[in-house]
Amino acid sequence: MGDSTGDTGSSMHGVSTDKTGKYDLPVDLEDRATVFKLFSFAKPHMRTFHLSWISFSTCFVSTFAAAPLVPIIRENLNLTKQDVGNAGVASVSGSIFSRLVMGAVCDLLGPRYGCAFLVMLSAPTVFSMSCVSGAAGFITVRFMIGFCLATFVSCQYWMSTMFTSKIIGLVNGTAAGWGNMGGGITQLLMPVVYEIIRRCGATAFTAWRIAFFVPGWLHIIMGILVLTLGQDLPGGNRKAVEKKGKVVQDKLGKIMWCAVSNYRTWIFVLLYGYSMGVELSTDNVIAEYFFDRFHLKLHTAGIIAASFGMANFFARPAGGYASDIAAKYFGMRGRLWALWIIQTAGGLFCVWLGLANTLVTAIVAMILFSLGAQAACGATFAIVPFVSRRSLGIISGLTGAGGNFGSGLTQLIFFSTSQFTTEQGLTWMGVMIVACTLPVMLIHFPQWGSMFRPPSTDPVKGTAEYYYVSEWNEEEKQKNMHQGSVAFAINAKSEDGRNAPSTITV
Amino acid sequence: MAIHKSLFASLLICLLFQISHGATKERLFSDLEKGALEVTAKPSREGVLDAGIDKLSITWKLSSTATKEAEFTTIKVKLCYAPVSQVDRPWRKTENELFKDKSCPHKIITRAYDKSPQSFEYTLERDIPTGTYFVRAYAVDAKDHEVAFGQSTNEAKSTNLFSVQAISGRHKSLDIASVCFSVFSVLALLVFFVNEKRKAKIEQSK
């Protein structure tokens, strides 16, 4: 299975930058691809990409599968507005915890096992939706299904081990964006499946239950594919490579401390709560909103709601790409500005969405809002891989968890009570987005600067190498545990902006 | 740029549609003649009725106080939510504008208007949700506009209400299928995992 035998790249060990021959794509010092070939399925880089985003997308499909069917489910289970809102909060809350755990799992066991285990163990939760009979059951099952959104972390982690930092914005943005598309696909898929089952003779209250088998089967299929076709690292699976001495086993406590003590981690947790978080909240409320407010049919509301999630197809990669372009000219400072501009614009369009009184203006505002929020997600994960090399998994996990926390909080405040109508909730959510994006101005990298401050001129502390190697103490440096960070720092010179060397030689 | 221009043009056309559509005066419930029809709805048995099984005996006839009788062409009989079933459920809200009103979503029967008293034996549909209901009959004119109505309860919607219990929608076969697929998923994972560990051990011992 995978590359557990034979070639693990030990012949590449640090000496030359010969980029061809062994892999289908050119690679850097850590065997990560430097080029992104979208329509290839070549082992290991592009195959990983496709396995990763499709399994993540499947989890989005099942987590938000209930949303477009709520108009039917709420009648079957006799739900109140609070029940529907609470179920929405529950659907994004489970993964706050599971994303944190997944970060640690990826750091310690590898993304392939993490992804496959999660996808296959959450299939029973999807199937159990067909057995619920009241509000409590509905909320509980949506909570349990939501755990599988942790595949986001394995997806991003997997991409960061397979693709080099210069293109990581585009790659992470595309993988996550196409994964998030699942939230849009499900708004189309579930009403159609429901309709087909109804036409085959089932009553409404049985048809929606049968419809949930479809996402359940998708989980099983994707889990099997990841196990049979996937591999952890370009050089093979984690256990095999560890034995050959290239990857060093790190300690959980140290990784956690490294992540938690870096203030940038927490700013990104907040920021992501108001880009991804609002995207998740909107996935949960938008179909019902269009159905109720503009008196549309279920599948019409589904189509409109789907276009919100489907915009991810290009919006999130575009955000990552915009970040990469900004970095090319302005380095990391460009990335930070790009993020602030895009996310704030999304917030303003959200305010407009809540204020829109006609169907057409609502649709236009929604689409612009989706572009802003989703591109901001892409731009966020174009920066996150640079916050830390040692704790990449945990920081990705924490940021991802922040997304879900922001979503749960927003749904709780604005969409679960009778105090706000849904349109008022949307407007206030937009205001909150603008406010919570301001902290990006506080993010400062000594080697690259921040939005308003230039980089440090200190010859030692102002280097990328110092920043990444300082995550290790002397004892660990003695054991050469920091070599990966050194290589990473060299590759990260691309974030210097126009001063970056165009080729990397050793 | 051509794409931008055509998108903008279609947007403009849609906006114009919206504006023109919104210009007609909305028909209001408060404009309808109250109590023009005398409607009764008698459940087939006492207690909470079961959807899909129990019946309602519905009758309607022209009331002596009706004035707009000449306009009646069709009678639309509907099942409506009582106020207690509308609490915390804004998708069932009563609105004065007729096209916005969502309190009577379930159609019972539509019949051409007849001067003589009418009756209908209605079996509660299997997609009726759990709740408390009454019956309302709208008298509709030739232009398909409501002109009058009558209902089986009083104006405050507090008398002669009946409760319905919905079907659960669950089936034993669904439950069994659900369990089977769940077990398969977990087993498949374990089999792969154990198999791979075994292969790695064999590799190591080589």
Side-chain angles (χ1 to χ4, degrees):
Chain A
M1 247 167 248
D3 278 42
S4 56
T5 60
D7 53 343
T8 54
S10 50
S11 58
M12 292 287 284
H13 195 61
V15 174
S16 75
T17 53
D18 174 33
K19 292 172 184 174
T20 57
K22 194 169 133 37
Y23 297 112
D24 215 56
L25 302 172
V27 294
D28 67 7
L29 294 169
E30 287 185 282
D31 284 351
R32 298 182 301 178
T34 55
V35 157
F36 184 44
K37 235 195 206 168
L38 203 51
F39 297 109
S40 147
F41 280 85
K43 242 164 59 162
H45 308 97
M46 290 316 300
R47 182 178 292 191
T48 301
F49 171 76
H50 291 295
L51 283 173
S52 207
W53 80 260
I54 297 178
S55 42
F56 180 40
S57 195
T58 303
C59 291
F60 250 88
V61 168
S62 53
T63 303
F64 294 100
L69 296 179
V70 159
I72 313 291
I73 301 176
R74 66 190 180 195
E75 305 293 25
N76 188 186
L77 304 180
N78 205 19
L79 305 176
T80 61
K81 181 173 188 204
Q82 285 78 347
D83 294 329
V84 175
N86 288 338
V89 174
S91 68
V92 297
S93 308
S95 61
I96 293 173
F97 176 69
S98 66
R99 283 180 174 197
L100 295 173
V101 174
M102 184 59 108
V105 168
C106 286
D107 278 329
L108 297 171
L109 296 176
R112 177 173 153 262
Y113 272 150
C115 181
F117 263 75
L118 188 54
V119 161
M120 294 194 84
L121 290 180
S122 54
T125 62
V126 182
F127 289 119
S128 66
M129 181 63 99
S130 60
C131 308
V132 302
S133 49
F138 183 60
I139 294 172
T140 308
V141 172
R142 282 207 79 182
F143 176 70
M144 293 195 303
I145 296 178
F147 274 89
C148 70
L149 283 185
T151 37
F152 166 72
V153 177
S154 63
C155 178
Q156 298 285 281
Y157 189 98
W158 224 350
M159 294 300 95
S160 305
T161 60
M162 289 284 175
F163 293 90
T164 196
S165 53
K166 234 200 224 158
I167 52 170
I168 199 62
L170 179 63
V171 175
N172 266 345
T174 311
W178 289 8
N180 286 8
M181 257 202 323
I185 293 172
T186 198
Q187 317 266 3
L188 272 177
L189 177 73
M190 296 305 284
V192 165
V193 171
Y194 164 77
E195 203 48 52
I196 292 174
I197 296 172
R198 273 236 324 179
R199 302 245 170 134
C200 289
T203 56
F205 292 172
T206 304
W208 76 264
R209 295 169 186 276
I210 300 175
F212 265 86
F213 277 74
V214 171
W217 292 328
L218 288 175
H219 271 242
I220 297 178
I221 294 169
M222 281 320 298
I224 292 175
L225 284 177
V226 165
L227 283 171
T228 50
L229 300 176
Q231 59 184 81
D232 285 319
L233 301 164
N237 279 329
R238 209 190 154 86
K239 286 264 173 298
V241 177
E242 263 171 32
K243 287 193 174 66
K244 298 246 159 78
K246 270 196 89 178
V247 179
V248 189
Q249 184 75 350
D250 206 343
K251 278 209 196 100
L252 176 60
K254 288 267 168 173
I255 307 175
M256 283 237 63
W257 177 249
C258 231
V260 159
S261 57
N262 192 331
Y263 75 93
R264 300 171 193 86
T265 305
W266 299 106
I267 297 184
F268 277 112
V269 167
L270 175 66
L271 243 56
Y272 204 58
Y274 285 90
S275 55
M276 170 51 85
V278 299
E279 183 186 332
L280 298 179
S281 303
T282 311
D283 274 336
N284 261 334
V285 308
I286 197 79
E288 203 189 347
Y289 175 66
F290 276 99
F291 180 85
D292 288 333
R293 184 148 194 245
F294 298 103
H295 322 289
L296 304 173
K297 291 206 192 66
L298 197 68
H299 59 263
T300 315
I303 292 171
I304 297 172
S307 55
F308 177 83
M310 298 291 278
N312 261 304
F313 181 75
F314 49 83
R316 189 162 172 151
Y321 187 61
S323 185
D324 286 341
I325 299 277
K328 195 166 148 197
Y329 293 105
F330 303 108
M332 179 56 73
R333 297 179 79 181
R335 288 194 193 272
L336 293 166
W337 270 101
L339 175 57
W340 181 78
I341 291 171
I342 294 170
Q343 191 156 327
T344 306
L348 293 171
F349 288 126
C350 184
V351 172
W352 187 26
L353 172 61
L355 297 173
N357 273 321
T358 62
L359 181 61
V360 176
T361 22
I363 294 177
V364 171
M366 183 199 73
I367 290 178
L368 291 170
F369 164 45
S370 73
L371 296 177
Q374 291 159 11
C377 294
T380 304
F381 271 89
I383 304 176
V384 163
F386 295 102
V387 172
S388 158
R389 170 53 173 66
R390 190 174 184 182
S391 311
L392 172 64
I394 294 206
I395 294 181
S396 295
L398 278 168
T399 307
N404 285 59
F405 183 76
S407 178
L409 186 68
T410 311
Q411 285 180 82
L412 197 62
I413 302 174
F414 299 125
F415 299 108
S416 305
T417 67
S418 306
Q419 208 189 348
F420 299 106
T421 60
T422 310
E423 52 265 34
Q424 286 171 334
L426 288 167
T427 307
W428 282 113
M429 186 167 77
V431 172
M432 223 169 153
I433 295 170
V434 176
C436 292
T437 307
L438 292 171
V440 76
M441 298 177 178
L442 301 172
I443 295 185
H444 180 79
F445 288 93
Q447 68 272 34
W448 297 314
S450 64
M451 274 172 78
F452 297 111
R453 288 165 59 198
S456 156
T457 45
D458 189 315
V460 173
K461 291 196 184 159
T463 60
E465 189 171 328
Y466 182 80
Y467 178 84
Y468 292 110
V469 171
S470 61
E471 292 181 322
W472 306 89
N473 61 29
E474 276 314 310
E475 202 187 306
E476 287 155 346
K477 284 190 220 174
Q478 294 276 346
K479 294 187 206 165
N480 264 335
M481 285 167 88
H482 67 297
Q483 287 303 333
S485 295
V486 173
F488 184 80
I490 295 172
N491 282 323
K493 282 221 169 5
S494 55
E495 301 310 303
D496 288 346
R498 257 178 257 166
N499 308 318
S502 51
T503 51
I504 296 161
T505 52
V506 175
Chain B
M1 275 324 278
I3 291 181
H4 291 186
K5 281 190 191 147
S6 50
L7 271 175
F8 185 69
S10 49
L11 188 61
L12 212 55
I13 293 170
C14 288
L15 275 168
L16 288 171
F17 246 131
Q18 283 289 300
I19 294 168
S20 58
H21 191 71
T24 55
K25 183 175 169 294
E26 299 308 345
R27 292 174 296 118
L28 301 174
F29 182 74
S30 45
D31 291 341
L32 301 183
E33 190 187 350
K34 288 195 266 274
L37 299 162
E38 274 170 30
V39 182
T40 66
K42 197 164 170 302
S44 56
R45 62 180 181 90
E46 287 293 309
V48 178
L49 305 172
D50 286 319
I53 301 172
D54 289 322
K55 301 191 209 302
L56 285 174
S57 251
I58 302 170
T59 66
W60 63 95
K61 66 172 200 259
L62 189 66
S63 155
S64 45
T65 57
T67 54
K68 292 191 187 169
E69 197 221 334
E71 295 172 48
F72 295 3
T73 33
T74 325
I75 304 293
K76 288 186 182 172
V77 186
K78 293 190 178 172
L79 197 61
C80 306
Y81 293 110
V84 65
S85 285
Q86 292 174 299
V87 171
D88 285 334
R89 292 178 174 86
W91 56 87
R92 293 179 183 172
K93 208 161 158 227
T94 303
E95 299 269 5
N96 202 13
E97 285 158 301
L98 281 168
F99 86 100
K100 270 192 190 172
D101 179 50
K102 300 196 203 163
S103 57
C104 298
H106 307 288
K107 295 192 177 68
I108 294 176
I109 184 128
T110 301
R111 253 191 216 165
Y113 171 66
D114 194 314
K115 274 190 165 48
S116 57
Q118 299 288 301
S119 69
F120 179 64
E121 192 83 355
Y122 172 62
T123 309
L124 291 159
E125 300 272 359
R126 287 162 73 200
D127 61 356
I128 304 285
T130 302
T132 309
Y133 298 86
F134 62 93
V135 173
R136 180 181 287 166
Y138 285 103
V140 174
D141 69 10
K143 280 183 281 170
D144 204 32
H145 290 171
E146 291 87 349
V147 290
F149 74 93
Q151 56 194 31
S152 64
T153 183
N154 60 5
E155 192 152 341
K157 298 185 236 175
S158 54
T159 58
N160 288 336
L161 304 171
F162 52 91
S163 292
V164 177
Q165 174 65 39
I167 62 166
S168 75
R170 292 179 62 182
H171 287 281
K172 246 209 176 77
S173 51
L174 271 185
D175 294 345
I176 293 172
S178 171
V179 169
C180 286
F181 281 113
S182 304
V183 167
F184 171 72
S185 182
V186 176
L187 274 181
L189 177 69
L190 286 175
V191 164
F192 265 102
F193 187 64
V194 166
N195 212 23
E196 199 168 294
K197 279 254 141 45
R198 211 169 38 91
K199 274 196 186 160
K201 269 211 180 102
I202 293 171
E203 270 305 305
Q204 232 190 339
S205 61
K206 272 193 189 157

